[in-house]
Amino acid sequence: MKISMVAFLVVTLLPFSAFSRDEGGLFVEPGLTYQVSESQIDYPAPLSSSKADNNGLGVMARLGFHISESFFLAADGRYSWLDFDDDDNNFKTDAVAYNLAPVLGLQMSEFGLRIWGSYILTGQMDLEENGGNDFMFSDASGYRIGAGFRLFSLSLNLEYEDLSYGTSEYTSSTGSIVGSSSNLNLDTESYILSVSFPLEL
């Protein structure tokens, strides 16, 4: 039973093999991610600046084209569900985040190795309200670099991401601070492990 299942997968995925010699074309690449992140936060008074962990699962999707199985260019979108944990200020909550970036990569079809870089154009992290405090960070910019190993239509990937958010907003149920705050900043460094499925169209 196991042998027949493996044979079925091989036959099914073989047309998308990383070792094919296609001249190029469109591809899509959905995937699942898990990120481990550390954020440096500058809060408005009376909270103090601190570091926070924000880890969690996400989804990714790329749409682009490749040239002679050697280079690829794509639009890359990410969406994540995170646990935001700031022990120093006893602030823990859930968060959602997204970002969008163009990505340029090199792939070595003989070995299945892929490397790439992305410039993040925009993004947002929205923290769920907790204890009357509600934070939103937007206008993200930064970069992401990564490497992966592709076999057939499956790729295992590891990436490093560095993000800064240009706009921030803090609202309080007490009404002490409402709207944008120039004293509120968030910078995030992440390691992202993912499994993706590059499929040629």
Side-chain angles (χ1 to χ4, degrees):
M1 181 64 178
K2 291 183 179 179
I3 295 176
S4 61
M5 181 62 71
V6 171
F8 172 76
L9 290 174
V10 169
V11 171
T12 302
L13 299 177
L14 189 57
F16 306 112
S17 172
F19 308 107
S20 62
R21 296 294 182 178
D22 291 352
E23 291 301 316
L26 294 174
F27 76 96
V28 295
E29 186 173 355
L32 302 173
T33 65
Y34 183 81
Q35 73 178 57
V36 177
S37 308
E38 184 176 78
S39 296
Q40 175 68 43
I41 315 156
D42 297 323
Y43 289 111
L47 299 176
S48 61
S49 298
S50 65
K51 292 184 177 181
D53 296 324
N54 44 293
N55 309 324
L57 294 168
V59 292
M60 60 171 285
R62 290 175 179 165
L63 175 63
F65 63 91
H66 59 90
I67 304 171
S68 300
E69 290 291 339
S70 297
F71 301 95
F72 62 90
L73 178 66
D76 188 329
R78 308 290 176 99
Y79 193 92
S80 302
W81 297 268
L82 306 171
D83 296 320
F84 190 91
D85 188 351
D86 180 358
D87 284 334
D88 293 340
N89 288 289
N90 194 30
F91 184 77
K92 299 181 181 181
T93 189
D94 296 328
V96 294
Y98 75 85
N99 62 65
L100 300 172
V103 55
L104 176 63
L106 169 68
Q107 53 191 15
M108 305 173 190
S109 58
E110 292 85 357
F111 308 104
L113 179 65
R114 312 164 80 209
I115 56 175
W116 59 84
S118 304
Y119 181 72
I120 297 167
L121 298 176
T122 188
Q124 184 180 91
M125 182 185 294
D126 187 5
L127 277 60
E128 187 173 308
E129 184 274 335
N130 187 4
N133 298 305
D134 193 4
F135 298 92
M136 179 180 290
F137 305 91
S138 55
D139 294 332
S141 63
Y143 66 91
R144 183 167 53 239
I145 55 175
F149 183 80
R150 177 183 174 185
L151 180 63
F152 303 119
S153 62
L154 184 146
S155 182
L156 298 176
N157 316 303
L158 179 63
E159 299 170 297
Y160 171 78
E161 180 182 270
D162 190 304
L163 279 181
S164 295
Y165 291 86
T167 302
S168 56
E169 185 173 313
Y170 168 48
T171 57
S172 171
S173 60
T174 63
S176 56
I177 299 176
V178 178
S180 298
S181 171
S182 59
N183 297 321
L184 177 61
N185 299 291
L186 177 68
D187 299 311
T188 299
E189 293 183 323
S190 306
Y191 289 96
I192 305 169
L193 182 65
S194 65
V195 55
S196 59
F197 308 92
L199 303 174
E200 298 170 11
L201 300 178

